[in-house]
Amino acid sequence: MDAAIRYNSEPPIRRPVAFAAAMLRDLKAARELAWRLFLRDLKAKYRASILGYIWVVLPPLVVTATFMLLQNAKLMNVGELPAPYALYVLSGTTFWQLFADAVQGPLKIVSQSKGMLVKINFPRESLIMAGAMDALFTFAIRFILLLATFAYFETSLPLHSGLVLLPLAVIGMLVAGLAIGVLVTPLGTLFQDFSQGLPLALSLWLIATPIAYPASNVSGLITRINSLNPMTPLIEVPRNLLLSLPNPSYATWGAIIAIATAASVAAWLLFRISLPHIIARIGS
Amino acid sequence: MSETLLTVKGLKKRYCRDLKRSLAYGVEDIARDCLGAKPRQDLRKGEFWANDNISFELKRGECLGLIGGNGAGKSTLLKQIAGLIKPDAGEIEIKGRVGALIELGAGFNPLLTGRENIHINAAVLGMGKREVDHKLDEILAFADIGEFIDSPVQSYSSGMKVRLGFAIAAHLEPDILLIDEVLAVGDAAFRAKCYAKLDQLRQKSAFILVSHDVNGIGNIATKGLVLQKGMQAHLGNLEQAIGIYKQTTKSQSPFKIKDHPILSGESRISPLEIGRGNTCSLTLELESEQDIETTRLRMKFLASSGETAAEWNSILNDRYFDLKRGANTLKLEFPLFLLPGQYDIDLSITPEDSAKLLYHERSTQTVSILGNPARTTYYQLS
């Protein structure tokens, strides 16, 4: 027989060793379930739609088309570019969408699973992991679209040693997004303001990040914002790697990923501590 | 076989009725927990104890019948044992795997087929892939929903969803099984099958069974716990527990007709506890604003499953009533040949020339048919 399970009112962090052990145990138990939940959502996601998986590639295409239109109508002047504009924007948005999905994913999947959360005790980490798997899967499909665009412009993807950093850039982007997404999930589940506000905040943030324009070609307020925006290196590094452009600073980029990793662990702690309280408040 | 699987000691949990305030308190509780501060032991404004000092033990082979009216704290207690919510005071100690039938089929995806959902639901409940594959045939046979198993779950009737949900959950083989009102849906034959399965599971596990159907509990529970407004009113002997619960339900008020444009007044049913085959009477004291001739009256006795067990009906009994403007007294008497148990009453009044109901209400009052319920209600014929 296993050791007895105890539930009481004591704050879990008063027993840090037991708490950390439980976290790791649940993380392990969550993997298989996460995979099943991911497959479930993937199978069901587009089953009742006509366009099906085409929906996966539409968001980056629409964003790219919007910026191309703005630029074409001379509403926006992005200056000299080292690559075709469509390719430049699509590289940035493909990575940006991974971030946006990772930010919005946890709150979305936790809200969708409310019925399950208040009725069944299961490793809840599986929900976050399933959301992360979905974001990565979507990114993979969009990345194939990006490669096809490279082929279209006959700028074959130049192979160079810097590309080994690309997987780290993808993981770093995902972790940064998840850190924010998991951090807002407890309050977001209680208060609807967050699910309303997140898409708004993200569309503002998209403009504040050098995706539709190179940071070097703008001036004034936006330059200051770019330099303070932690997303700037997270977008620039992978895009410049793909387009074989020089990268400004790997050090800042690495530091941001390290901070994001620490933040995501903190977010995980908060998520675990707050869940029983959230379930008590959202009721049946 | 008599090891203690579950110990609950001085358990307390508080809730707040006001939503905004409840959410704010939730944020405060989360903050305290994050900072490692001891939880507060007092009630904040608008809060009440949903569970107040609950203590009991449960051994393997035992089944605790958890009895209480709506809002007595039954579900709150189960959710704490299931580890879904955190006690505010006291402690729960559990040995072994806990299975909770709090809602069958929670986590079903409506667009996926029943077969696809079996795998997911089982994984959510804690079964490994190999365990599910191993038990799949048994689960399919128990659910017995035929070709629907390969249709999307959104095309299922509520009864079919319960069949599938119960079939999965029953094959979990937990040490402690929590069952909350889930068997109210589903047809009588399937319910009988479920009770038979539970009886078989009980040899190896400990149960907590929540139901409004106290007679259904009587068939399977070995002891009773009565909750009243969050407090433990009785723990121990099951017959006594059922007796105490019935005492509390008896005091509920009869039908009151008010806020109605034409009718006002009340109805009384007596006696509220009668022997099988004895006469029951309904008295209606009605104040009417206008004359209504040949009014039809219908009174249904609903079993705990929601099915109509007996009905008195003006058309069937060829007896109509003329309501005069002013005070009216209508009296009906009829013998009730019903199985022992508790029945809700559904009353409706309709004017003869119209299909529109003049008045319709389902009572919170119940009529009990006395008698020994033991082992009479559920049989599995196979």
Side-chain angles (χ1 to χ4, degrees), chain B residues 158-214:
Chain B
S158 54
M160 287 159 87
K161 268 183 229 163
V162 169
R163 277 168 174 263
L164 192 60
F166 187 88
I168 300 166
H171 289 86
L172 249 183
E173 297 179 358
D175 296 290
I176 302 168
L177 186 60
L178 314 174
I179 308 159
D180 190 1
E181 290 283 1
V182 287
L183 298 179
V185 218
D187 56 52
F190 186 71
R191 274 209 309 280
K193 198 165 147 186
C194 292
Y195 276 107
K197 179 77 187 173
L198 290 180
D199 216 26
Q200 177 200 336
L201 284 175
R202 201 185 55 189
Q203 319 299 323
K204 287 184 280 180
S205 339
F207 283 8
I208 299 182
L209 183 65
V210 176
S211 177
H212 286 305
D213 173 16
V214 283

Side-chain angles (χ1 to χ4, degrees), chain A residues 186-187 190-191 273-274 276-282, chain B residues 13-34 38-40 42-49 88:
Chain A
L187 283 178
L190 292 177
F191 301 99
I273 293 173
S274 57
H277 297 292
I278 291 166
I279 291 169
R281 300 296 163 180
I282 58 179
Chain B
K13 181 76 197 169
R14 59 176 166 244
Y15 273 134
C16 176
R17 287 188 189 89
D18 178 75
L19 177 69
K20 278 245 155 112
R21 204 170 267 156
S22 169
L23 295 180
Y25 290 159
V27 175
E28 185 191 330
D29 291 345
I30 293 171
R32 292 184 86 95
D33 241 7
C34 287
K38 278 248 176 226
R40 340 174 29 134
D42 55 330
L43 287 178
R44 288 163 288 193
K45 197 179 167 207
E47 281 187 323
F48 65 98
W49 291 113
D88 285 321

